[in-house]
Amino acid sequence: MSCSRTSNRAALALLLLAVGLFSCKDDLADPTRAFVELRFHADPPSLMHGAQVWLDGERWIDSLAVDAIGSTLEEGSHTIVVRKDCVQVLPADSIEIVVEGGRPQDHDFTLQAGGAVLTVVSTPPGLAVSVDGAPTGQVTPCAFPCIATGSHEVGVEPPSGIGFQIEGETARTVEVPSDGSVEAAFAFSSTPLPQSRGVMLELFTATFCPNCPPADHALDALRRDPAFEEGKMAALEVHLSWGGTDPFHTEEIAVRRVSYYYGNDPQSAPIAYFNGGDRIVGSNLPDIEEAYRQRIASIYGTEAGVGLYWSNARVEGSSLRGSLRIVAIQDISGFSQPELIAYYATDSLEAEQDPFDVGLYNGVIRDYSDAIDLKEAGVTAPGSFLDADFAFDLSIDSAPTNRPLRLGAFVQDRPSKQVLQIREAGAVRP
């Protein structure tokens, strides 16, 4: 029986006890068995990775990945062999040990480069490394003890640049001596890119609400206004069950958003919210479209504290999927509970009964994702970021249709209701 650990023997014993693999107490009480631990040391630590360990002629560890391993061995003599190409093992790559009297044993091995060694480090770490144009399969920090003497081109893949300006060299030539070591160090700086603030016009409406058509028409006109770039001004509709029924109403969706704006009558319509704060109730204004436009213009295009970047928005079977990177451009720790929420909406919905001649309903919300608390996710300081994948079930719109879909996300502070940023990505059904 064998096990491995990354800290100390006490932690290892506790872990093995927890999973019921064996009891160290029982083993130590048995004079015919003893726990033997092997500890490995290397500088850099990555030099030990990939080493093979043999026990009594059988391969014990295929590729060493931790700094210690242990096993309970039977009484008697045992042979331990540690091997890695171009690496010298001290005190020896093969040792004989004798287990007797149930006494535990510790054995230390030091791994040193047998010749010249190339070490590659980077800030940030975790970057893929190539040598002489060929991928190595390793990431920084890493060491190459089998490197030939002479000039070598060392390269690293830069950090992902979505939402950032990345600066730093990605390749350099190093001269490897006949012995000793040489280091290739790479450092990258990343600065969050500015992003203009988008606007979420969120309209609570209802198909059979006699006062809603002016708001519905205004919403549709604004979403097609060339003054507002596609994806940066999201005109969305949440349909309420006004009058007891609505073909586009979903109770869960309506309740989730109405309850977010606590204190509002869930049957009130129309009410328009602009980035969660400013609102216009009703549609009895002389020119509601212009009133909406002025509220949007006061927010649209200002500097955002958060950047949202959609990629790979697509329809796969009955799912709408997309990947999103959120980047803190400014310090947003002053907001009490900033949350990231994704959604999908459908355009060009047509009600079988259209008593108020609305025509097509656009931006009708079909589903929301669970909220991600950005403080808990560590995305508050400038430059911090999070990559998230979202998938929505399209079965609610299962009827064959070419209606366009809208995949979007916004960041909203729960206590203040302020929307910090919103971005949409279009997706077409195949």
Side-chain angles (χ1 to χ4, degrees):
M1 178 185 320
S2 65
C3 55
S4 63
R5 70 148 175 88
T6 56
S7 54
N8 54 45
R9 193 159 104 205
L12 175 64
L14 288 174
L15 173 62
L16 294 173
L17 282 169
V19 299
L21 293 180
F22 70 83
S23 166
C24 289
K25 180 178 179 181
D26 291 342
D27 285 334
L28 294 177
D30 183 352
T32 66
R33 296 164 59 84
F35 184 79
V36 176
E37 182 178 54
L38 310 183
R39 298 183 299 216
F40 300 90
H41 311 275
D43 186 15
S46 59
L47 196 62
M48 74 177 71
H49 295 173
Q52 294 182 343
V53 183
W54 299 70
L55 175 63
D56 295 333
E58 295 186 2
R59 188 177 297 176
W60 181 8
I61 300 295
D62 244 351
S63 180
L64 190 64
V66 294
D67 62 3
I69 58 176
S71 182
T72 300
L73 302 183
E74 299 290 340
E75 186 176 39
S77 298
H78 299 275
T79 302
I80 297 172
V81 178
V82 181
R83 292 175 182 165
K84 183 179 179 182
D85 290 343
C86 304
V87 169
Q88 181 182 8
V89 181
L90 301 176
D93 59 5
S94 177
I95 64 170
E96 298 289 331
I97 65 171
V98 177
V99 174
E100 58 183 357
R103 291 184 293 275
Q105 299 183 34
D106 296 330
H107 298 277
D108 290 276
F109 295 88
T110 299
L111 281 67
Q112 297 179 345
V117 59
L118 168 65
T119 302
V120 186
V121 297
S122 69
T123 305
L127 306 182
V129 178
S130 63
V131 176
D132 297 328
T136 65
Q138 297 198 49
V139 297
T140 56
C142 56
F144 301 93
C146 289
I147 196 76
T149 301
S151 297
H152 294 276
E153 186 77 8
V154 181
V156 295
E157 289 187 6
S160 174
I162 299 175
F164 293 93
Q165 179 180 339
I166 306 295
E167 295 183 349
E169 63 177 347
T170 59
R172 62 181 53 187
T173 301
V174 297
E175 293 292 333
V176 176
S178 57
D179 56 19
S181 63
V182 63
E183 181 182 82
F186 297 85
F188 294 90
S189 64
S190 58
T191 305
L193 292 171
Q195 191 177 67
S196 61
R197 194 176 178 194
V199 178
M200 180 168 71
L201 196 176
E202 195 173 12
L203 179 66
F204 290 84
T205 186
T207 301
F208 302 120
C209 162
N211 296 320
C212 291
D216 294 324
H217 288 300
L219 198 76
D220 187 50
L222 289 168
R223 78 186 251 304
R224 292 182 285 105
D225 191 327
F228 306 119
E229 186 176 344
E230 185 177 358
K232 296 182 180 180
M233 201 290 284
L236 304 173
E237 291 188 355
V238 176
H239 276 248
L240 307 174
S241 58
W242 192 95
T245 184
D246 189 299
F248 310 130
H249 169 73
T250 302
E251 186 68 19
E252 180 184 359
I253 291 171
V255 167
R256 285 180 68 176
R257 289 310 281 168
V258 169
S259 64
Y260 204 96
Y261 299 105
Y262 56 89
N264 293 316
D265 180 355
Q267 296 299 312
S268 296
I271 301 178
Y273 283 86
F274 303 86
N275 273 17
D278 195 10
R279 70 176 188 168
I280 293 178
V281 179
S283 60
N284 58 346
L285 299 174
D287 190 345
I288 193 169
E289 180 182 328
E290 183 58 29
Y292 285 180
R293 190 186 309 276
Q294 290 177 6
R295 304 295 176 90
I296 295 171
S298 67
I299 305 170
Y300 183 84
T302 58
E303 186 177 354
V306 175
L308 298 178
Y309 301 89
W310 279 108
S311 63
N312 203 21
R314 66 203 184 277
V315 175
E316 288 185 357
S318 61
S319 296
L320 174 60
R321 299 178 179 274
S323 300
L324 178 72
R325 168 165 289 186
I326 173 171
V327 179
I329 302 172
Q330 302 170 3
D331 185 352
I332 62 170
S333 60
F335 291 94
S336 298
Q337 192 176 350
E339 296 179 326
L340 174 67
I341 302 171
Y343 63 86
Y344 103 82
T346 305
D347 284 341
S348 304
L349 294 181
E350 185 175 5
E352 291 185 7
Q353 298 180 18
D354 187 13
F356 306 112
D357 195 26
V358 173
L360 299 178
Y361 290 87
N362 294 291
V364 179
I365 291 289
R366 309 310 271 161
D367 200 4
Y368 293 105
S369 72
D370 292 334
I372 298 175
D373 189 311
L374 295 184
K375 283 193 171 181
E376 291 183 358
V379 186
T380 54
S384 56
F385 69 96
L386 172 70
D387 292 325
D389 295 317
F390 294 96
F392 290 101
D393 183 4
L394 299 177
S395 61
I396 191 172
D397 293 323
S398 58
T401 177
N402 291 322
R403 293 191 300 266
L405 302 170
R406 298 162 69 177
L407 178 62
F410 55 92
V411 176
Q412 186 168 31
D413 180 46
R414 178 170 285 274
S416 67
K417 314 306 177 192
Q418 181 180 350
V419 173
L420 283 66
Q421 183 61 307
I422 184 168
R423 282 294 186 271
E424 279 192 344
V428 179
R429 297 177 191 263

